[in-house]
Structures are given as C-alpha cells and as structure tokens.
C-alpha cells in the first residue's frame, strides 16, 4: 500500500493538519507563491526607492528643463522623478553595502524557493492522501472538522498500517506527534523556566517574548545543529542520563553563546528586514484605519500561557477569538477620565481646523495645491481618529468582575488573585501582558533583533543546567510515538496539583506539579474535544470524580431552587440569543452570579457561583439530547466507580461520536451537525473551566498554599532539594544544584523541607545520599520522567512507558546523581 509505514509520522501528521488549516492544497500553493513574490517585491521596491528616484525633482527642489515649450507651465509627472536605467544601474553598482544586502537577500530567496519546491512535492502527497485514502475532496475540506479528519486517520491505520510500531493509533498519539515540541514549550512556560519575564527600572514587571526569540528557543532545543533531539521523535541518549549533566549543561551553554553571537552579527540585516516589512505591511492599514494600532491582540506569551497541553493551533485560535470581545471590553473599562477629557478637547480643536480646510477645498480645489495643506488634512484626520479611541461610549456600563468571568470562560486560565480584584489597575496591567496593544506587538518585533541576543547570552545561558534537568526529568517514551513531554500525558497522578481536585489522586512533588491547573484543565479539554479517546485509569477516575461532584453540587442548587432562576436580567440576555445557542448558558451563569449574589458574603457568593455552574453543566445535557443519543452528564453521579470506565465518552458531548457520522441524507447536514456539536463542546469546556476555578477558589480559601500569578522564584528540582537541605545544615554540596523551581514558600521551615524531601525520596525511589553515584558502564533501561536504572537494579519500569490507555502505569522513579 502507498501509505504503509510512513517513516516520519510527525511531519506527515503536521502537514495533514496544516493543509486543512490552510483550506486545502490550492490555497496553500497560491499563498506560498505570493509569499515568494512578496519577498522579491520588498527587496526590489526598496532598491528602486534608494537608487532610482530623483527626490529633488519629486519634492520640487530642482526645476525641470522643458526646452521645447519654454512658455508652457511646468507640470511635474511621476516618471520625471525616475532616473534613467543606466544611471540607476551605476548608482546600485557604486553602493557596495546595497550590493552586499542584495546578495544575501538573493541567497535567502533561493533557499526559500528550494524549500517551496520541496514542500509542494510533499504536500502533493498529502493532497493525494486526502483524496485517495481519506476520501475527502479538496473542495469540501474546509467544511470538515479536525475530529472528522482525525477519525478517518485512525481508521486508515487499521487498513494501511501507516505506523508499524503499534496496531492502532489513538487521538492522543496523533496530537503528540503534531505538538511534540510545542508541548515542551508550553510546559517550560508553565514552570517559568524560559527567561521571558523581567523586572526593569521604571517599567516594572514586563514580558518579552517575540517570534524571533521563540524561533531561537526552538532552534536551540529541538531542530538546530547540536540540538537536544537527534530527530523529530527522539531525545539524544546522553540527555536521558544524569551522569554527565554538568558536561551537557556546559555544552549547551557554549552553544547558546555561539547562537547569541550569530544573532548579533545578523542583527543589522534582520532589523532592516523587520523595519521594511512593518512599513509596507502597516502603513496602508494605519492610513485607512488610524485606530487599528490602538486595537489589541493576544500576545505570543499569552498564547503560550493560555494554551492547553495537546491543543492544536486552530483550536487555540478559535478559543481565544471567542474571548476577544469581552477582553477588549474589559480593557476599555480602564480608560482614564482625565485622558478622556483631554482627548475630547483635542478632537474638538483638530476637528474645527479640519472642517475649515475641507470647506475651503470645496469652495476652491486649488487650496490643495498650497504647500502642506494636504499633509495637514491627513494628520488632523489621523489625530481625530486616535483621540476618539480614548473616548468611551457614554451609553455603556462596564462590570469588570462579570467581564472577567466571561473572559475566564473562554481562556480557561486565570491567576487566583484576579478574582475579586478585576477593578484594580494591577489586575489590568497583568492582563495586558496577555492581551497587548497591536502597536506594542509591532514595537517588540522591531526591537527583537537587538534584544534577543542579550536574552540568549545573559539570561538563557545560566539556565543551561535547569534545561538539561528539565528534558531528562520530563521526557517519557511512548510506544509508537517516541519521546514526548510527560506533561502532555495529562496524567493527574504524575503531574496533578492537589489544589485542582487532584488531592489524593496525585503523587507528584512540587517540582513535578503543573501550575495553574494546567494538567487538569488540559485533560478536560482533550476529553471533551476528542470524545472517542479513552484516558488512562487515573484520568478516568478524575473525570468520574468531577462528574460526581457536579451532580452533588447541582443537587444542592436544586434543593435551594437556584437553578438558572427567572429574572429580568436573565430574560433580557436570553432574548438576545437563540434558545439553542450554547453560549446563552454561559451568559445565564455569569449574569445570575452578578444578579443574585451581590447581597451575599464572599463565601456565599462563591457557593452560589459553584452551584450555578454545576446546574448549568447538568442542564447542558438536555440541550444536546436533540442532536445525539447520549449526553455528558445524563449518567448519574450515583453510578460512582461503576461509571468511571465510561468516563471519557460520558463526559464529552457525544456518546456515539456524532461529529464523525453524518446523520442526515446529505453530507452537508452531517457537516453542519459536526460544527454545531463542536460549538457545544466548546461551551461545555467553558462551563467546566468556570466550575473548576470555583472549586479551586474554595480549596484555596480553606487551605492557603502557593499559587501565584508569576512564580518569580523557581521550584527546586527533585535533584536539588536534598542539596538545599544540606546547604541549610552547613553540609557540603558536591555538585551545583539545579535551581529550577522553589518549594511552596520561602518561609517553609527546615523540618518541613526535610519531611518533603524524605517523602519524595521514599515515593520516587530517589537516592538519599547527595554524593555522586558511580555507575558501572552497563546498559540503561528507560524509565518515565527521564529516570534510568541499571540492568542489575530492580526497577519498576524496565520497559518503555505503555500507551496512554494502559492501566498499569506506576509512579516514576528519579535517580539522583
């Protein structure tokens, strides 16, 4: 079969996803061609403006010689300002710096052309795969959901055996291969390992994370020469062993230094390109819509911070796009009244002058021929538009707390201290790091060629040991997939956080816990998005426990008769939306919390919020019953453990995957149903995010613990915790510690630290002796989370980690060096 045993499934699945995201082969081909033409245009047009235009004639600083008609008035045309070809060519040849730039640009364009030809050949194979194997025509591909495409890929595995390492592929296998490196990046941002947050004089806490910096991180870690991975699916063997961690850290530090130096040398060229591309891209937009730079966008850091493990690009984009409008409204709540008064008056003065100039122009168009009149009209129009962006609509009433809850329903992640403090400027400033001005985004990209080398050399190099430890401790080998980030397994037992409903279900140390409920929320998102996926035993138990908790809380709400109560506010919101629209449930939950909870205490409001969200989740099932045979929460929580093996499918929006089966006589009806169910799945996840945050808030009030917005200090790794204890006792530290992440609090006493370390060593099999362990040069067997055991030692995981559906996964062993 032509699709039997595809060698690089990572690249193959990524191209399948990318081809669907770009709406098929033809759209992708035309887009790539125009990108090549765009590069040629920018280089050629810039060269023409530099060497082939006589600006003295263009600006009327030099008179033209019209000897044939000396009595006629001089009328300058655009071709008069163009130099003859021989003069233009001579000026280009005389400019050695320009020639050097053109040579480099030519080499770069040829490289892109070769890459384009190679990609087209590869994507033609994807085009054939879609048509011949998946039976999806390119003309209808944009109307297929990813779940439908993915279900057909899973079925193709059974027929063509595209992966020979395992008999059947799961949804998680496909996601792991597409998002292998992105999951690592999300985990490193979640654990505050990457140097992207800084405290600067006058500016305070700032975030700097640009496309250039992200490109360099990926170049260093994943695919560049000398990177940590030997191919797309396998971490180098030396990074899996702890014996030479110091040597590897020194090697990585040297490599980062050379890449930083290369960035310094290429800085002028990259900076010139960034400026030219920004000028040609945004000048026309700024002229047409001057207020566009005052608009906001989700920052690159925000996209990484808010991203779930195993979330594709189009899924993240769809989720954040739904939160764009409430996020914009929330940021508009903080427009300064003083700035509004100034903007109104400036707009009045500028508008008065502009009105007079427009009136004079209507009376006599020769007014435009007066020097600088047209420039003045343009600048006044831009100034008025900018001033209007600072003047809020006088008929709008803002409710910051309610808006913040609407935002949370879509973005799913939010620091604890934001709740109840939505009206404070500190909260607004922190949210602005996720939702920044478009002008700030452009400015950061322009500064990126200058700042990126400094961050690499000064800030990233000292973290080399932490990075080496991270990839060793948080890499697992999955059968049929290869080496993946262990956080992407979404295993609450290995990486769950006790404050996020994982208490009693997780065995993770503080070093291993994912922050901000990332593991739990990612698990829920993936289970809802992929209804046929069967999670591991521990994850199924967590989902079943959450379902049972929802039923219990909704029963309390029913007893109190507080289920989506009828009132004027509910009626007004409901009247604006169709009864079948899933987002009306979120509106009811948010509005009900604001309308009914204002007279309660803070604890009473939290209980009310929890009951309302639970009631919405329970009432969410009947809304879907018309579209599918079974629903997420129709099974009673009284089923207990007996219902847990069905947890994944029962939790999701379909018991029988209605997204992948057309239920009508027409294929269009099936595709429409798939899109509707996708929207319901998105709404169900929004309600789960609200519910889990309310549970976390209750837990935090009952048992305060470490949970900050940005962890300015880092968690201690499991390898360095014992050495920290020795340092406190005055004992010798034989090797430099890996200071990645701190313990729960800097106020933690030494006795508590000792207890934590003893439990960690007892639980994960760590060696209590802080000294170096001399290992015999024997074969090493792979362990989860990067642990290794000698053949002669008893190890709980002598084989690679089982597939994600396995029920015999055990806690990891981390052997300290």
């Amino acid at each position: 079969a032509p699709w039997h045993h595809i060698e690089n499934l990572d690249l193959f699945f990524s191209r399948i996803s990318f081809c669907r995201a770009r709406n098929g082969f033809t759209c992708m081909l035309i887009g790539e061609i125009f990108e090549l033409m765009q590069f040629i245009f920018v280089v050629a047009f810039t060269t023409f403006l530099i060497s082939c235009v006589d600006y003295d004639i263009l600006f009327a600083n030099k008179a033209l010689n019209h000897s044939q008609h000396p009595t006629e008035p001089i009328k300058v045309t655009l071709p008069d300002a163009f130099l003859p070809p021989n003069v233009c060519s001579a000026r280009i040849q005389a400019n050695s710096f320009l020639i050097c730039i053109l040579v480099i640009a030519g080499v770069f364009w040829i490289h892109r052309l070769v890459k384009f030809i190679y990609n087209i050949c590869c994507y033609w194979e994807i085009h054939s795969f879609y048509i011949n194997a998946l039976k999806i025509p390119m003309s209808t591909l944009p109307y297929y959901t990813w779940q439908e495409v993915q279900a057909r890929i899973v079925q193709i595995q059974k027929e063509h055996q595209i992966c020979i390492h395992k008999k059947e592929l799961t949804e998680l296998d496909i996601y792991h291969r597409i998002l292998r490196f992105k999951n690592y990046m999300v985990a490193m941002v979640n654990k505050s390992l990457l140097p992207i947050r800084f405290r600067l004089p006058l500016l305070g806490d700032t975030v700097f994370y640009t496309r250039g910096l992200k490109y360099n991180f990926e170049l260093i870690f994943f695919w560049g020469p000398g990177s940590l991975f030997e191919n797309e699916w396998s971490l180098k063997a030396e990074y899996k062993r702890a014996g030479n961690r110091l040597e590897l850290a020194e090697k990585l530090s040297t490599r980062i230094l050379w890449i930083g130096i290369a960035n310094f040398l290429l800085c002028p060229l990259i900076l010139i390109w960034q400026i030219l591309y920004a000028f040609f891209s945004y000048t026309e937009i700024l002229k047409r819509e001057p207020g566009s730079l005052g608009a906001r966008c989700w920052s690159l850091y925000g996209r990484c911070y808010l991203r779930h493990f195993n979330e594709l690009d189009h899924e993240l984009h769809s989720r954040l796009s739904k939160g764009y409008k409430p996020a914009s409204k929330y940021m508009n709540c903080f427009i300064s009244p003083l700035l509004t008064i100034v903007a109104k008056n400036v707009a009045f003065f500028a508008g008065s002058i502009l009105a007079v100039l427009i009136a004079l122009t209507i009376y006599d168009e020769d007014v435009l021929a007066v020097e600088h009149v047209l420039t003045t009209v343009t600048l006044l129009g831009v100034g008025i538009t900018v001033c209007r962006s600072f003047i809020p609509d006088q008929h709008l009433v803002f409710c910051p707390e309610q808006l913040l809850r609407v935002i949370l329903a879509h973005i799913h992640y939010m620091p604890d201290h934001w709740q109840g403090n939505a009206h404070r400027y500190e909260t607004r400033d922190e949210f602005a790091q996720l939702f920044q001005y478009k002008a700030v985004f452009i400015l950061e990209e322009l500064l990126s060629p200058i700042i990126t080398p400094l961050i690499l050399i000064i800030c990233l190099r000292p973290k080399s040991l932490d990075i080496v430890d991270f990839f060793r401790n948080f890499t697992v080998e999955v059968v049929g997939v290869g080496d993946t980030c262990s956080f992407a397994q979404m295993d609450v037992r290995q990486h769950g956080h006790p404050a996020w409903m994982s208490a009693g279900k997780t065995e993770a140390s503080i070093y291993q816990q994912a922050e901000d409920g990332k593991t739990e929320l990612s698990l829920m998102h993936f289970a809802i998005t992929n209804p046929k996926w069967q999670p591991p035993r521990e994850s199924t138990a967590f989902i079943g426990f959450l379902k049972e908790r929802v039923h219990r809380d909704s029963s309390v709400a029913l007893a109190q008769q507080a289920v989506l109560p009828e009132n004027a506010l509910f009626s007004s919101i409901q009247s604006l939306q169709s009864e079948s629209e899933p987002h009306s449930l979120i509106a009811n939950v948010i509005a009900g919390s604001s309308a009914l909870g204002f007279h309660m205490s803070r604890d009473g409001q939290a209980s009310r919020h929890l009951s309302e969200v639970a009631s919405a989740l329970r009432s969410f099932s009947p809304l879907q019953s018309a579209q599918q045979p079974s629903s997420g929460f129709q099974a009673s929580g009284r089923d207990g453990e007996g219902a847990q093996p069905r947890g994944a499918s029962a939790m999701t929006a379909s018991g029988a995957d209605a997204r992948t089966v057309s239920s009508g006589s027409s294929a269009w009806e099936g595709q429409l149903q798939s899109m509707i169910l996708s929207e319901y799945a998105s709404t169900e996840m929004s309600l789960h995010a609200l519910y889990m945050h309310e549970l976390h808030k209750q837990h935090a009030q009952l048992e305060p613990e470490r949970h900050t917005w940005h962890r300015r200090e880092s968690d201690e790794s499991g390898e360095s915790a014992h050495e920290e204890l020795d340092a406190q006792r005055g004992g010798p530290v034989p090797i430099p510690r890996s200071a990645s992440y701190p313990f729960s609090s800097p106020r933690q006493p030494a006795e508590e630290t000792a207890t934590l370390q003893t439990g960690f060593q007892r639980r994960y099999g760590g060696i209590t002796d802080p000294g170096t362990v001399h290992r015999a040069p024997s074969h090493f067997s792979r362990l989860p989370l990067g642990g290794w055991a000698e053949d002669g030692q008893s190890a709980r995981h002598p084989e690679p980690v089982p597939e994600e559906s396995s029920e015999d996964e055990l806690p990891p062993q981390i052997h300290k060096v």
Side-chain angles (χ1 to χ4, degrees):
W3 316 115
H4 178 73
H5 184 204
I6 298 175
E7 182 178 358
N8 193 340
L9 277 176
D10 286 37
L11 204 55
F12 186 75
F13 287 152
S14 298
R15 286 170 177 162
I16 291 176
S17 175
F18 184 75
C19 186
R20 181 202 163 272
R22 296 289 293 270
N23 299 315
F25 177 80
T26 303
C27 294
M28 186 182 59
L29 175 64
I30 298 301
E32 293 285 342
I33 292 175
F34 274 109
E35 285 185 6
L36 289 173
M37 294 173 59
Q38 189 180 81
F39 183 86
I40 294 178
F41 173 79
V42 170
V43 175
F45 189 52
T46 303
T47 304
F48 175 80
L49 293 177
I50 293 175
S51 303
C52 301
V53 177
D54 191 341
Y55 289 97
D56 289 332
I57 295 178
L58 189 65
F59 297 146
N61 296 328
K62 183 171 63 174
L64 288 176
N65 183 16
H66 292 276
S67 57
Q68 297 179 355
H69 306 283
T71 59
E72 293 183 0
I74 297 175
K75 184 177 181 180
V76 179
T77 61
L78 197 59
D80 291 334
F82 298 161
L83 296 175
N86 56 342
V87 177
C88 179
S89 175
R91 294 183 64 176
I92 293 175
Q93 295 176 6
N95 193 337
S96 58
F97 177 76
L98 180 60
I99 292 178
C100 180
I101 296 294
L102 291 177
V103 170
I104 296 176
V107 172
F108 180 73
W109 187 83
I110 293 175
H111 167 73
R112 290 189 60 177
L113 178 62
V114 173
K115 186 177 179 181
F116 163 77
I117 296 174
Y118 172 76
N119 286 337
I120 291 303
C121 296
C122 295
Y123 278 106
W124 181 255
E125 179 186 9
I126 301 301
H127 173 268
S128 302
F129 182 78
Y130 266 110
I131 295 177
N132 300 323
L134 301 183
K135 308 300 181 183
I136 299 178
M138 287 290 106
S139 59
T140 60
L141 179 59
Y143 307 105
Y144 280 82
T145 63
W146 169 251
Q147 279 68 33
E148 292 177 298
V149 175
Q150 184 174 244
R152 300 195 182 197
I153 295 175
V154 173
Q155 184 64 31
I156 287 298
Q157 165 67 14
K158 301 176 183 178
E159 300 174 3
H160 296 279
Q161 202 70 19
I162 57 178
C163 176
I164 64 172
H165 300 289
K166 58 190 310 184
K167 186 176 181 180
E168 294 184 357
L169 283 176
T170 67
E171 293 82 357
L172 190 59
D173 292 337
I174 298 175
Y175 273 75
H176 276 168
R177 287 189 174 274
I178 297 175
L179 301 169
R180 189 188 305 273
F181 297 152
K182 290 183 179 179
N183 282 328
Y184 275 108
M185 295 296 293
V186 172
M188 285 190 283
V189 170
N190 180 257
K191 298 299 289 185
S192 300
L193 183 59
L194 298 178
I196 55 180
R197 295 193 55 83
F198 309 95
R199 177 177 287 274
L200 303 177
L202 302 178
L203 298 179
D205 289 333
T206 59
V207 172
F208 188 84
Y209 190 46
T210 63
R211 287 179 292 188
L213 186 59
K214 176 175 175 286
Y215 177 86
N216 278 274
F217 285 156
E218 294 174 350
L219 177 71
I220 293 170
F221 300 146
F222 304 124
W223 53 267
S227 64
L228 281 64
F229 280 75
E230 59 184 352
N231 49 46
E232 280 87 354
W233 58 88
S234 179
L235 186 69
K236 290 181 178 178
E238 57 264 28
Y239 288 96
K240 300 175 183 179
R241 296 187 291 268
N244 55 346
R245 55 193 289 266
L246 296 180
E247 298 176 4
L248 293 174
E250 184 64 27
K251 179 181 177 181
L252 179 61
S253 176
T254 304
R255 185 165 175 268
I256 294 173
L257 175 62
W258 283 111
I259 292 181
I261 294 174
N263 274 267
F264 264 125
L265 297 178
L266 296 175
C267 175
L269 301 177
I270 300 175
L271 183 60
I272 291 173
W273 169 254
Q274 294 275 50
I275 294 174
L276 292 175
Y277 187 81
F279 176 78
F280 292 129
S281 299
Y282 298 109
T283 302
E284 190 274 335
I285 298 176
L286 182 62
K287 178 182 179 300
R288 177 166 38 90
E289 299 178 11
S292 60
L293 295 182
R296 291 183 176 270
C297 62
W298 296 103
S299 66
L300 193 61
Y301 169 74
R303 290 178 176 273
C304 195
Y305 172 78
L306 299 174
R307 188 171 197 152
H308 294 296
F309 293 121
N310 303 307
E311 184 175 22
L312 294 174
D313 291 340
H314 73 272
E315 296 171 347
L316 175 67
H317 177 75
S318 175
R319 181 164 60 87
L320 296 185
S321 296
K322 294 174 183 176
Y324 182 87
K325 286 186 177 180
S328 299
K329 291 180 179 179
Y330 174 74
M331 298 303 292
N332 290 336
C333 293
F334 294 90
I335 293 180
S336 171
L338 179 60
L339 185 60
T340 300
I341 295 174
V342 174
K344 286 182 178 179
N345 286 274
V346 172
F348 171 77
F349 296 135
S352 301
I353 300 173
L354 181 61
V356 171
L357 292 176
I358 292 176
L360 293 174
T361 302
I362 295 174
Y363 177 75
D364 188 353
E365 64 179 9
D366 290 336
V367 174
L368 292 177
V370 178
E371 190 175 13
H372 301 312
V373 168
L374 187 59
T375 304
T376 304
V377 171
T378 303
L379 293 179
L380 288 174
V382 172
I384 292 173
T385 306
V386 172
C387 289
R388 285 178 180 173
S389 65
F390 294 102
I391 303 175
D393 188 345
Q394 59 181 347
H395 302 293
L396 292 181
V397 178
F398 297 107
C399 302
E401 288 293 342
Q402 184 173 340
L403 285 172
L404 206 57
R405 292 199 77 208
V406 175
I407 295 170
L408 175 61
H410 295 296
I411 67 175
H412 300 170
Y413 294 97
M414 185 172 292
D416 295 344
H417 64 273
W418 284 11
Q419 301 187 32
N421 296 306
H423 61 285
R424 298 176 64 89
Y425 272 88
E426 291 81 0
T427 303
R428 182 258 185 198
D429 293 339
E430 291 178 355
F431 185 69
Q433 295 173 355
L434 308 178
F435 195 61
Q436 63 183 176
Y437 280 115
K438 185 70 174 179
V440 175
F441 169 80
I442 296 173
L443 180 61
E444 288 182 350
E445 291 296 331
L446 293 178
L447 295 176
S448 178
I450 302 174
I451 300 179
T452 295
L454 300 176
I455 294 178
L456 295 178
I457 296 175
I458 299 176
C459 302
L460 186 61
R461 286 186 64 211
K463 291 180 173 288
S464 298
L465 184 60
D466 302 334
I467 294 170
V468 170
D469 290 339
F470 178 89
F471 277 92
R472 183 182 70 257
N473 293 330
F474 298 121
T475 295
V476 297
E477 183 179 358
V478 180
V479 173
V481 177
D483 293 333
T484 64
C485 180
S486 62
F487 287 100
Q489 294 293 108
M490 301 176 296
D491 190 344
V492 295
R493 181 173 55 86
Q494 293 186 2
H495 296 297
H497 199 294
W500 288 88
M501 299 182 63
S502 295
K505 302 178 183 60
T506 180
E507 299 179 359
S509 65
I510 295 174
Y511 176 59
Q512 294 173 310
Q513 293 170 1
E515 306 293 342
D516 305 313
K518 182 74 77 172
T519 299
E520 293 79 6
L521 287 168
S522 297
L523 173 62
M524 293 305 305
H525 177 267
F526 192 84
I528 292 173
T529 307
N530 299 274
K532 283 191 172 182
W533 175 63
Q534 294 297 327
R537 180 180 55 190
E538 292 80 9
S539 300
T540 304
F542 174 83
I543 294 174
F545 171 74
L546 178 61
K547 178 179 66 175
E548 183 180 354
R549 180 67 184 266
V550 167
H551 277 274
R552 184 167 69 249
D553 289 337
S554 61
S555 299
V556 172
L558 282 170
Q560 298 175 353
Q561 296 182 354
V563 183
L564 300 180
E566 292 291 336
N567 56 52
L569 182 57
F570 283 148
S571 301
S572 63
I573 293 177
Q574 197 74 15
S575 65
L576 297 177
Q577 308 186 54
S578 170
E579 291 182 358
S580 63
E581 186 175 354
H583 297 290
S584 62
L585 273 173
I586 300 178
N588 282 336
V589 171
I590 303 300
S593 302
S594 302
L596 300 178
F598 68 93
H599 61 280
M600 299 180 180
S601 63
R602 186 175 294 271
D603 295 338
Q605 289 186 25
S607 178
R608 168 75 70 172
H609 293 170
L610 192 64
S611 299
E612 288 173 350
V613 178
S615 301
L617 279 170
R618 188 168 184 174
S619 64
F620 192 73
S621 299
L623 292 177
Q624 301 183 23
S625 60
Q627 301 287 342
Q628 53 199 30
S630 62
S631 184
F633 284 94
Q634 286 180 338
S636 173
R638 293 186 298 269
D639 295 343
E641 294 296 326
Q644 288 178 6
R646 299 181 293 137
S649 59
M651 278 289 300
T652 55
S654 64
D657 189 9
R659 300 181 205 164
T660 57
V661 180
S662 299
S663 61
S665 59
S666 170
W668 287 97
E669 294 178 5
Q671 293 168 5
L672 178 61
Q673 184 186 29
S674 299
M675 295 178 183
I676 293 175
L677 293 179
S678 297
E679 287 300 314
Y680 274 99
S682 174
T683 305
E684 185 179 2
M685 182 59 211
S686 297
L687 292 172
H688 276 95
L690 291 172
Y691 182 74
M692 294 176 71
H693 273 272
E694 291 296 339
L695 289 177
H696 172 69
K697 184 178 178 181
Q698 286 189 358
H699 184 278
Q701 291 174 351
L702 296 175
E703 186 179 354
E705 65 172 311
R706 176 187 69 106
H707 190 78
T708 58
W709 160 225
H710 294 301
R711 291 158 292 282
R712 294 180 176 84
E713 299 179 5
S714 33
D715 293 338
E716 298 291 343
S717 69
E719 300 178 354
S720 61
H722 198 277
E723 296 158 11
E724 177 71 15
L725 180 60
D726 287 342
Q728 293 176 356
R729 295 175 177 174
V733 180
I735 57 177
R737 63 190 184 92
S738 171
S740 299
Y741 315 108
F743 286 109
S744 59
S745 172
R747 301 185 300 273
Q748 187 178 21
E751 293 79 4
E752 186 176 350
T753 306
T755 304
L756 175 64
Q757 175 64 15
T758 304
F760 177 83
Q761 298 291 350
R762 181 177 62 255
R763 185 179 304 164
Y764 297 107
I767 302 172
T768 57
D769 183 11
T772 303
V773 178
H774 300 282
R775 301 181 182 271
S778 61
H779 176 71
F780 289 85
S781 299
R782 180 67 191 278
L783 296 177
L785 298 184
W788 292 80
E790 298 179 27
D791 288 343
Q793 296 179 345
S794 61
R796 298 165 67 181
H797 283 279
E799 298 296 332
V801 176
E803 302 174 22
E804 57 277 1
S805 59
S806 175
E807 296 186 359
D808 59 350
E809 292 177 284
L810 296 174
Q813 289 186 349
I814 299 179
H815 289 264
K816 194 178 69 161
V817 178

